[in-house]
């Protein structure tokens, strides 16, 4: 696919002169990314309409990105090589250089390639670090696409095709006709969703109207459904939000302010009434049934005259607790069964006909099997309505789900799992390929993993557009900074490029890129008592003053505008203080199993030092120094790591047992139901591409992945 002139030969209808492909030699060099962006966004739209071309462009672009990542990965080395000082001569010798290179899991170099399992794993750890520092997030929001109902998307695509349609005409189109229009231009469909999402955050969620409160931090991930359309999973931190220990009365008041399950009046708000009924109403399908009878999405929900925080019983006797749970389950099931026989508008009438008193019913709702649970206020006519926010639904005009994060363990155990959702299968493939390639040299093993990723993943047309045009698959409004807090002999450093050291003497030991540790050691005297952790989150390298690259992984944020500049010692340039601190990331060692490594990392991060070797080696054991300066370390650590113990425990549980079974059915029921239905239906091949899988080959390729077109 990457032979010279392959683009011109593969797409003669798009490049009829057989010239000007991505690999053409130009006076002004164009990267594949810039080249294909220009092609896809061309005004004529001929490239954007060609699905094969989209996949071709995505493959070539990601191949180039992967090769660049490999070039960086082979420059990562341990800072010490068997106790021997590393010098320029070792970098010039290919054999000795190979012994220096960090030989880790070969697939981890894919962290910088958007959409890969290592990329999502890195995103997950970024979010975990944010929770440690910022505390538990407040809301979890899922936003689905309604490309069949968003008339403006259909109108824009048809306008690009030279047609003019009104909303009324779009409304008369059949489902198949709308599918055909969306399939004809996945680029515009994907761009429309991204634009709509950015507008929702900018003009609604983050606006002064504060429909979900004052949002201080947020993060979201884009996921693609079985039919290929995107949807967003978001986590939001709200200023002055109640925590799980807040009195129940105040907590319920906060939840009711922002989340509802009500159906608006058809007389006073007819349009909004129809919107809620059409996008928030759960309709049972074959995919709902779990073990044949119960809806896996837990619909219908129990009606309640008020929002209730259900909790486990406080009975010390197991038998009494079991009886209480059985009694509560019987009461709730009796009410639901009565609802199936007759339509009720009043909860009091329903309870009266069920021979259950209001107090008995409330007591039953207040009891949960394990953990805390929110029972939202809803009357008997709203038992199929998914929870939502009124202002967000009016603006988004598609299904959405809003959940208040009630329990810290639930937040981390399965809500954070949304980051790595649906990537486990690909992770297993990459791990298997990496294990098979362990006999190859490091660079060859990375190329084998790259080939496995590029050829073994099923991608929809809209996802290809997202990755090709660099639309955000994961976005947050906070920065992160990674600090290598390992002991020197275990620390990974970035070697300078061979081109920058080839003219130096072989004995020269200046072979590593300047790191955040080097800059901290060179901080001005006025910051003498500032620890490394706080220095890292508040100061970022000023690239405008000096072009030397920085090793630490600082990701940009929208509002980290610099306000103060400091000059480093030893001519290491300048750094700027940001208005908003970044989120600290570092490798966390076990305090019980890796005591010395743990103590060293905590000393390095939270005890002010000037010379790492001298200041951290005052005792025979790092544990002795750690105990000696514990008060200083603990004071600095408490400023940065909120709920760290809870997060670590929950993370251990997540890594050992994974998220709770069917957890997604509770968090985002509508999205999961659609995915289940589309998965059951299966992919439908486009007749224009049926030649790719002729009947003779279909049986042989039944279990192999092939190009399939999605909306």
């Amino acid at each position: 696919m990457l032979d010279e002139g392959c683009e011109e030969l593969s797409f003669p209808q798009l490049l009829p002169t057989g010239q000007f492909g991505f690999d053409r030699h130009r006076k002004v060099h164009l990267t594949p990314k810039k080249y294909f962006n220009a092609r896809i966004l061309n005004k004529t739209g001929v490239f954007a309409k060609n699905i094969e071309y989209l996949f071709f462009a995505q493959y070539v672009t990601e191949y180039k990105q992967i090769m660049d990542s490999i070039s960086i990965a082979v420059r990562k080395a341990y800072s010490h090589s068997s106790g021997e000082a590393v010098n320029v001569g070792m970098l010039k010798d290919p054999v000795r250089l190979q012994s220096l290179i960090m030989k880790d899991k070969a697939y981890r170099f894919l962290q910088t390639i958007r959409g890969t399992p290592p990329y999502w794993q890195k995103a997950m750890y970024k979010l975990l670090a944010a929770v440690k520092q910022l505390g538990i997030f407040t809301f979890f929001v899922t936003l689905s696409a309604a490309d069949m109902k968003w008339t403006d998307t259909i109108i824009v695509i048809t306008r690009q095709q030279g047609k003019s349609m009104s909303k009324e005409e779009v409304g008369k189109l059949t489902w198949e006709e709308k599918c055909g229009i969306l399939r004809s231009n996945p680029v515009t469909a994907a761009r429309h969703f991204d634009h709509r999402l950015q507008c929702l955050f900018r003009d609604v969620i983050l606006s002064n109207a504060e429909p979900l409160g004052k949002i201080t931090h947020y993060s979201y991930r884009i996921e693609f459904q079985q039919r290929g359309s995107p949807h967003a999973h978001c986590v939001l931190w709200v200023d002055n939000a109640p925590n799980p220990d807040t009195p129940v009365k105040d907590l319920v008041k906060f939840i009711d302010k922002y989340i509802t399950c009500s159906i608006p009046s058809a007389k006073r708000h007819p349009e909004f009434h129809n919107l809620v009924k059409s996008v928030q109403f759960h309709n049972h399908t074959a995919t709902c049934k779990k073990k044949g009878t119960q809806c896996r999405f837990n619909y219908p929900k129990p009606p309640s005259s008020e929002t209730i925080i259900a909790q486990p019983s406080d009975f010390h006797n197991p038998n009494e607790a079991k009886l209480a749970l059985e009694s509560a389950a019987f009461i709730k099931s009796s009410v639901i069964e009565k609802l199936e026989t007759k339509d009720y508008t009043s909860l009091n009438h329903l309870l009266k006909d069920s021979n259950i008193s209001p107090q008995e019913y409330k007591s039953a709702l207040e009891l949960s099997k394990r953990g805390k649970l929110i029972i939202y206020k809803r009357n008997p006519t709203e038992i199929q309505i998914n929870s939502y926010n009124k202002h967000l639904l009016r603006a988004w005009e598609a299904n959405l789900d809003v959940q208040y994060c009630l329990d810290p363990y639930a937040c981390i155990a399965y809500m954070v799992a949304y980051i790595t959702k649906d990537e486990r299968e690909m992770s297993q493939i990459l791990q298997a390929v990496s294990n098979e390639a362990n006999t190859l040299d490091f660079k060859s093993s990375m190329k084998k993993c790259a080939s496995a990723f590029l050829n073994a993943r099923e991608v929809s047309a809209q996802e290809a557009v997202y990755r090709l045009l660099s639309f955000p698959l994961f976005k947050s409004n906070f920065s992160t900074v990674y600090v290598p807090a390992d002991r020197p002999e275990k620390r990974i450093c970035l070697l300078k490029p061979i081109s920058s050291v080839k003219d130096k003497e072989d004995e020269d030991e200046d072979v590593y890129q300047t790191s955040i540790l080097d800059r901290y050691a060179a901080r001005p005297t006025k910051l003498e008592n500032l620890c490394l952790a706080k220095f890292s989150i508040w100061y970022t390298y000023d690239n405008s003053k000096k072009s030397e690259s920085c090793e630490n992984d600082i990701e940009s944020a929208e509002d980290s505008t610099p306000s103060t500049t400091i000059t480093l010692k030893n001519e290491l340039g300048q750094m700027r203080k940001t208005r908003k601190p970044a989120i600290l990331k570092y490798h966390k060692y076990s305090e019980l199993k890796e005591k010395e490594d743990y103590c060293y990392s905590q000393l390095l991060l939270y005890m002010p030092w000037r010379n790492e070797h001298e200041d951290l080696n005052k005792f025979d054991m790092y544990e002795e120094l750690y105990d000696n300066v514990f008060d200083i370390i603990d004071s600095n650590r408490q400023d940065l790591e909120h709920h760290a113990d809870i997060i670590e425990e929950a993370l251990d549980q997540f890594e050992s047992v994974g998220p709770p079974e069917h957890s997604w059915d509770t968090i985002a029921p509508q999205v999961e139901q659609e995915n289940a239905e589309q998965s059951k239906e299966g992919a439908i091949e486009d007749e224009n591409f049926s030649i790719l899988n002729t009947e003779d080959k279909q049986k042989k390729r039944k279990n192999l992945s092939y190009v399939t077109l999605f909306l």
Side-chain angles (χ1 to χ4, degrees), residues 147-148 175 179-180 182-183 186 227-229 460-462 709-711:
D147 35 19
M148 294 296 196
W175 189 88
C179 285
L182 291 170
R183 188 185 292 115
R227 64 187 174 93
S229 293
S460 71
Q462 288 197 42
L709 295 187
F710 300 89
L711 292 182

Side-chain angles (χ1 to χ4, degrees), residues 537-549:
I537 67 173
W538 279 108
Y539 290 90
T540 183
Y541 189 65
D542 190 350
N543 289 305
S544 63
K545 300 297 181 182
K546 194 174 181 178
S547 60
E548 183 181 3
S549 64

Side-chain angles (χ1 to χ4, degrees), residues 21-47:
F22 75 91
D23 56 0
R24 179 184 175 88
H25 298 290
R26 295 176 169 86
K27 291 183 179 180
V28 178
H29 176 68
L30 276 180
T31 63
K33 193 173 193 65
K34 289 184 178 179
Y35 169 82
F36 285 114
N37 269 251
R39 290 295 195 194
I40 297 302
L41 298 177
N42 185 278
K43 183 180 179 180
T44 62
V46 293
F47 294 93

Side-chain angles (χ1 to χ4, degrees), residues 85-94 96-97 100 495-512:
V86 181
N87 55 38
V88 172
M90 298 179 72
L91 268 63
K92 293 180 180 179
D93 185 345
R96 300 182 74 186
L97 177 61
L100 290 176
L495 294 169
K496 290 183 177 180
I498 296 295
S499 58
S500 67
V501 300
K502 63 181 180 180
D503 296 329
K504 293 184 178 182
E505 297 293 333
D506 288 355
E507 293 75 22
D508 195 334
E509 297 180 7
D510 183 20
V511 297
Y512 295 109

Side-chain angles (χ1 to χ4, degrees), residues 373-495:
L373 180 68
I374 301 176
I375 306 296
Y376 292 105
K377 177 182 177 180
R378 64 178 91 216
N379 64 43
T381 63
E382 298 163 345
I383 57 177
Q384 298 289 122
I385 300 297
N386 194 23
S387 56
Y388 66 95
N389 175 275
K390 294 180 179 180
H391 306 291
L392 261 60
L393 185 59
R394 287 180 184 274
W396 187 243
E397 295 183 325
N399 173 259
L400 59 85
D401 182 89
V402 182
Q403 299 282 343
Y404 176 76
C405 299
L406 185 63
D407 181 75
Y409 291 99
C411 292
I412 304 305
Y414 58 82
M415 284 191 176
V416 173
Y418 85 92
I419 292 292
T420 54
K421 184 173 178 283
D422 292 338
E423 299 297 333
R424 297 184 184 90
E425 183 177 348
M426 176 56 65
S427 295
Q428 293 170 357
I429 292 174
L430 292 178
Q431 288 176 347
V433 172
S434 177
N435 293 335
E436 291 174 4
N438 58 9
T439 57
L440 303 175
D441 63 85
F442 190 50
K443 192 169 186 177
S444 298
S445 64
M446 286 192 291
K447 287 185 176 180
K448 192 165 184 176
C449 286
S451 177
F453 169 73
L454 289 170
N455 295 293
R457 186 162 190 263
E458 201 173 60
V459 178
S460 71
Q462 288 197 42
E463 183 175 357
V465 173
Y466 253 78
R467 291 160 68 167
L468 186 60
L469 300 183
S470 296
F471 291 157
L473 290 175
F474 178 80
K475 184 178 179 180
S476 60
N477 70 334
F478 50 85
S479 305
T480 59
V481 53
Y482 176 77
V483 177
D486 312 281
R487 291 157 69 174
E489 62 271 19
K490 296 183 178 181
R491 192 174 299 154
I492 305 300
C493 299
L494 188 65
L495 294 169

Side-chain angles (χ1 to χ4, degrees), residues 51-52 176 180 183 683-695 698 706-710:
I51 308 298
E52 281 184 305
E176 289 78 10
R183 188 185 292 115
I684 301 175
E685 292 184 21
D686 191 298
E687 60 182 9
N688 295 324
F689 296 88
S690 59
I691 192 172
L692 296 177
N693 287 280
T694 60
E695 289 185 9
Q698 281 182 0
Y706 50 86
V707 177
T708 305
L709 295 187
F710 300 89

Side-chain angles (χ1 to χ4, degrees), residues 117 156 206 229 256 274 293 342 353 393 415:
V156 168
L206 302 178
S229 293
D256 286 341
N274 293 334
T293 57
K342 181 180 177 181
D353 289 354
L393 185 59
M415 284 191 176

